[in-house]
Amino acid sequence: MSTDTFPIRRVDHVRHWVNNARQSAFFYQHTFGFSITGYSGLETGSREDAHYLLEQNDLRLIFSAPLVPGHPMAERIGHHGDFVQDIAFEVDDVDAAWKAATDRGAKSWQEPKWLEDDGGRVRVAGICTYGDTIHSLINRDGYKGKFLPNFRAENQPGDGIGIIEVDHCVGNVELGKMNVWVKWYEDVLGFKNLISFDDNDISTDYTSLMSKVMSNGNGRVKFPINEPAPGKKKSQIDEYLEYFGGPGVQHVAMRTDDIVYTVSRLRARGVDFLKVPRSYYDMLPDRVGTIDEDIDVLADLGILVDRDDEGYLLQIFTKPITDRPTLFYEIIHRKGAKSFGKGNFKALFESIEREQAVRGTL
Ligand code: FE2
């Protein structure tokens, strides 16, 4: 018998609330190579908000924007800037999932309801997690329309760069709140704590943070949760919390099976990444042993490597993709490794601190 107390099929989509969904969709199409495959707005009968669906392999993003003055979304976007508002789960039984979560203490965002159009109907509900972030619960089994009712199909292909799916989504929460949310994911969603990092693992001369990685029953959903730890100066988590105006999603990691290709294309399209010093690559062979990739190529692209007991992984982090130093992306390529790049933390945080120093927020 399954011991999974909250069965989740997968991350269904990641929804962003933004001021201008049309421009966001264009950005993600022309940089990350997503195809615009669905749209809902005035033309489809959505009178108060517009939504663009973007897809690349198994990763779906939605960009949602308010259309009218005084829309409740606008107030939250004004507070946070453009932000990840929903990490949605596809589940077998929306009603059972919503009831289980709310019985175990989750605050409801949306009671189970049907969304309907000519293609049939989709059951949706939602629960609140940290800050203004929610987890939608969705089941569209048998639905024949595009994505969700009242979306129309769009055919605006992007030039894909090999992004396959969401690998993990990271939340930043306030000092002292990491264990509160760890317990919430354990109690409410039946997640397990896979890995913990304390401030000895993740510290530099200036900043430190604590992190615990939570994973769901089938292991497909992985949510690291960070909190700041006291350091000599302001940590990157403190900077995030200040500019975001509370806890929220810090980064979404997108998985690729060819990181050299993916990152080459992103760089060619002008996406900025954190830089690590060349000395990082001098030490790399001693640290990770033999790898398939050419280290000079990795160094030119700024791709990081880490090894664990099961294999190795390659990863890279964009600079924040909004004006505020809040949301960024990771591109990750796993070659056996199931971990998160602990060996890169120090080099990475020193790089983030150089950026913070330029921003005057260190
Ligand atoms: Fe990550």
Side-chain angles (χ1 to χ4, degrees):
M1 195 181 136
S2 168
T3 55
D4 190 350
T5 61
F6 196 89
I8 297 169
R9 291 180 184 172
R10 63 180 197 127
V11 171
D12 187 85
H13 63 264
V14 177
R15 184 188 292 268
H16 299 235
W17 280 12
V18 300
N19 258 314
N20 189 336
R22 182 184 301 236
Q23 278 190 4
S24 291
F26 189 82
F27 172 82
Y28 284 90
Q29 180 187 24
H30 287 272
T31 54
F32 287 81
F34 284 84
S35 295
I36 300 175
T37 57
Y39 169 75
S40 170
L42 290 173
E43 298 85 345
T44 71
S46 177
R47 308 306 302 174
E48 299 198 335
D49 25 74
H51 311 269
Y52 288 78
L53 169 65
L54 280 75
E55 295 184 79
Q56 187 162 171
N57 296 309
D58 290 329
L59 204 162
R60 288 196 197 107
L61 302 176
I62 304 183
F63 295 90
S64 297
L67 288 173
V68 291
H71 193 296
M73 288 171 71
E75 197 270 322
R76 299 326 296 159
I77 297 165
H79 185 72
H80 296 302
D82 293 356
F83 72 108
V84 171
Q85 182 261 346
D86 185 4
I87 302 165
F89 300 140
E90 185 186 15
V91 296
D92 295 333
D93 185 334
V94 167
D95 294 66
W98 179 85
K99 184 169 189 318
T102 52
D103 282 353
R104 296 175 202 154
K107 190 174 153 221
S108 175
W109 166 262
Q110 166 70 58
E111 290 186 16
K113 66 171 184 180
W114 292 108
L115 299 175
E116 298 183 57
D117 68 4
D118 294 345
R121 54 187 198 167
V122 175
R123 194 73 169 163
V124 296
I127 55 172
C128 301
T129 175
Y130 47 81
D132 281 321
T133 322
I134 69 161
H135 293 305
S136 284
L137 309 168
I138 298 178
N139 181 287
R140 63 169 69 74
D141 292 354
Y143 179 64
K144 294 189 175 55
K146 181 67 196 177
F147 183 59
L148 285 176
N150 301 313
F151 271 71
R152 76 177 185 204
E154 289 286 317
N155 181 22
Q156 300 180 47
D159 185 4
I161 56 170
I163 290 166
I164 297 168
E165 62 180 2
V166 172
D167 186 89
H168 59 274
C169 298
V170 180
N172 282 343
V173 301
E174 306 96 322
L175 182 63
K177 292 292 171 61
M178 176 181 70
N179 284 324
V180 173
W181 288 105
V182 163
K183 188 166 168 20
W184 188 91
Y185 277 98
E186 285 171 346
D187 293 349
V188 174
L189 299 187
F191 281 40
K192 299 269 188 297
N193 180 9
L194 274 189
I195 313 170
S196 301
F197 305 104
D198 64 19
D199 49 348
N200 293 321
D201 296 319
I202 315 181
S203 68
T204 65
D205 287 347
Y206 293 112
T207 72
S208 60
L209 65 86
M210 319 252 266
S211 186
K212 288 187 176 176
V213 182
M214 305 305 292
S215 176
N216 80 316
N218 69 8
R220 292 192 68 183
V221 182
K222 295 182 286 286
F223 290 162
I225 300 169
N226 298 331
E227 73 173 14
K232 286 183 200 153
K233 292 197 177 179
K234 186 186 288 181
S235 83
Q236 50 165 307
I237 311 301
D238 290 314
E239 184 196 41
Y240 176 99
L241 293 168
E242 179 179 328
Y243 281 87
F244 191 77
V249 174
Q250 177 209 42
H251 75 268
V252 175
M254 301 171 166
R255 195 172 69 77
T256 174
D257 276 342
D258 187 350
I259 196 167
V260 168
Y261 174 70
T262 301
V263 173
S264 300
R265 300 308 302 273
L266 286 169
R267 283 203 180 276
R269 294 169 186 180
V271 173
D272 265 345
F273 293 93
L274 291 174
K275 288 184 180 64
V276 287
R278 195 82 194 185
S279 57
Y280 172 91
Y281 295 93
D282 298 336
M283 298 180 296
L284 198 59
D286 285 345
R287 200 163 65 74
V288 301
T290 309
I291 57 172
D292 302 334
E293 293 75 14
D294 182 335
I295 288 181
D296 287 335
V297 171
L298 299 181
D300 283 345
L301 292 169
I303 294 168
L304 309 174
V305 189
D306 197 25
R307 186 177 280 284
D308 65 20
D309 294 341
E310 294 170 281
Y312 69 98
L313 62 83
L314 305 107
Q315 63 187 166
I316 191 168
F317 299 84
T318 71
K319 291 184 183 179
I321 48 103
T322 57
D323 295 311
R324 301 191 199 197
T326 53
L327 180 69
F328 60 88
Y329 288 96
E330 173 179 353
I331 304 294
I332 186 164
H333 181 171
R334 296 186 177 279
K335 293 193 146 178
K338 296 200 179 72
S339 53
F340 295 84
K342 175 180 163 180
N344 289 323
F345 288 168
K346 193 175 170 64
L348 211 55
F349 294 168
E350 285 167 354
S351 175
I352 290 172
E353 284 157 13
R354 286 193 294 275
E355 299 285 326
Q356 278 188 273
V358 173
R359 291 194 285 262
T361 63
L362 189 60

